[in-house]
């Protein structure tokens, strides 16, 4: 009895996925590619919901596996639509058909902008390019990522795919406090123009105890800097 709802919901998934695939296969314009992307998104959301419902209802493993595969197929179609759109968008930019802020020149002063595609934003364009670039650098990475998730019994999600295709960013090494302090003091000499200042003027502006400290510390500072200069 608990499996009735997931199975009924699952029955609609193949047709949704097929409709998205057919739309993408027949798409000849950027708008049609976006429409196929949106249909794939609907199929993905439906499969995701069906999968969660199946798990909540403790449905058979077969039902859960089928929903996961449908979800993966829908996500692959969505990703392919994004890839194609990224190519079309960038090609239009190269042809000078897209102005700044996403406006597209049609003829004369007539323009088509991002407002003509309600879901089209800078973020959407960026995500499309990420997928396009990832597939260009490593063909088949989208399908492999989804298949690996399925093989491991993991849900094929947009978040998992994004992690797989996201270019690695090099983190700056953590700098020790004392190294940071020393670097800052040396930079201060440069920033404050001390290399061009007259040492005698600086010394004459100090009190006797201050001058005594300078004379006491200066040989040690020079020795330290000489040692540092020898380091590679």
């Amino acid at each position: 009895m608990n499996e009735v709802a997931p199975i009924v919901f699952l029955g609609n998934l193949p047709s949704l996925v097929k409709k998205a695939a057919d739309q993408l296969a027949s798409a000849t314009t950027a708008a049609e590619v976006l429409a196929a992307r949106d249909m794939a998104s609907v199929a993905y959301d439906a499969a995701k919901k069906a999968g969660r419902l199946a798990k909540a209802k403790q449905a058979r493993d077969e039902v859960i596996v089928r929903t996961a595969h449908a979800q993966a197929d829908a996500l692959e179609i969505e990703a392919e639509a994004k890839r194609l759109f990224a190519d079309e968008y960038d090609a239009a930019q190269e042809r000078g058909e897209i102005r700044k802020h996403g406006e597209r020149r049609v003829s004369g002063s007539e323009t088509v902008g991002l407002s003509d595609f309600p879901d089209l934003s800078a973020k959407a364009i960026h995500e499309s390019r990420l997928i396009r670039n990832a597939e260009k650098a490593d063909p088949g990475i989208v399908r492999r990522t989804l298949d690996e998730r399925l093989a491991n019994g993991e849900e094929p999600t947009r978040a998992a795919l994004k992690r797989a295709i996201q270019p690695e960013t090099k983190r700056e090494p953590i700098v020790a406090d004392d190294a940071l302090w020393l670097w800052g003091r040396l930079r201060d000499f440069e920033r404050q123009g001390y290399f061009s200042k007259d040492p005698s003027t600086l010394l004459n502006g100090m009190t006797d105890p201050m001058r005594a400290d300078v004379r006491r510390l200066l040989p040690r500072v020079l020795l330290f800097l000489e040692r540092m200069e020898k380091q590679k």
Side-chain angles (χ1 to χ4, degrees):
M1 191 68 158
N2 286 342
E3 294 186 9
V4 174
I7 290 175
V8 171
F9 204 177
L10 179 60
N12 298 325
L13 291 180
S15 60
L16 287 175
V17 173
K18 185 178 185 304
K19 185 174 181 179
D22 290 344
Q23 273 192 288
L24 184 59
S26 62
T28 58
T29 66
E32 290 174 347
V33 169
L34 289 176
R37 179 205 65 180
D38 292 343
M39 177 54 65
S41 179
V42 170
Y44 171 86
D45 291 339
K48 191 176 183 70
K49 185 175 181 180
R52 291 182 175 178
L53 184 60
K55 290 177 182 178
K57 296 290 186 179
Q58 297 182 338
R60 294 193 307 269
D61 289 343
E62 177 190 354
V63 175
I64 296 174
V65 168
R66 287 172 63 191
T67 58
H69 277 267
Q71 184 173 331
D73 291 343
L75 189 51
E76 181 184 24
I77 297 167
E78 182 184 75
E80 177 64 10
K82 289 179 178 180
R83 183 189 70 78
L84 292 173
F85 176 74
D87 282 343
E88 171 57 26
Y89 188 88
D90 288 349
Q93 279 191 325
E94 288 291 330
R95 294 191 298 268
E97 297 175 359
I98 295 180
R99 295 180 178 179
K100 293 180 180 180
H101 308 302
E103 290 184 332
R104 178 166 179 165
R105 187 183 295 108
V106 179
S107 62
S109 60
E110 184 182 4
T111 60
V112 176
L114 294 181
S115 59
D116 292 274
F117 302 101
D119 294 332
L120 188 57
S121 62
K123 180 181 178 181
I125 295 170
H126 175 68
E127 290 177 350
S128 296
R129 284 170 172 159
L130 279 180
I131 292 175
R132 187 268 314 277
N133 295 343
E135 278 289 333
K136 186 175 181 180
D138 187 4
I141 186 174
V142 170
R143 189 67 237 186
R144 286 199 312 275
T145 298
L146 299 176
D147 286 343
E148 286 173 6
R149 301 284 296 184
L150 292 172
N152 294 330
E154 299 172 326
E155 185 182 0
T157 63
R158 289 192 184 103
L161 180 58
K162 185 176 181 180
R163 286 194 299 271
I165 67 171
Q166 192 79 27
E168 293 185 6
T169 55
K170 294 184 178 179
R171 291 186 177 182
E172 291 294 328
I174 298 176
V175 180
D177 290 341
D178 51 359
L180 182 62
W181 180 90
L182 178 60
W183 170 77
R185 299 298 73 75
L186 291 174
R187 287 294 307 276
D188 284 342
F189 269 84
E190 183 179 44
R191 283 192 292 259
Q192 301 298 329
Y194 276 91
F195 295 127
S196 60
K197 291 185 179 182
D198 181 25
S200 62
T201 300
L202 294 173
L203 285 170
N204 290 334
M206 298 179 186
T207 63
D208 289 340
M210 290 169 64
R211 281 193 293 271
D213 280 339
V214 170
R215 292 192 175 97
R216 176 178 61 83
L217 294 172
L218 188 58
R220 299 176 65 183
V221 171
L222 290 174
L223 180 60
F224 175 79
L225 292 177
E226 287 176 2
R227 288 164 49 202
M228 177 168 281
E229 189 178 19
K230 294 177 182 178
Q231 301 301 310
K232 292 182 179 180

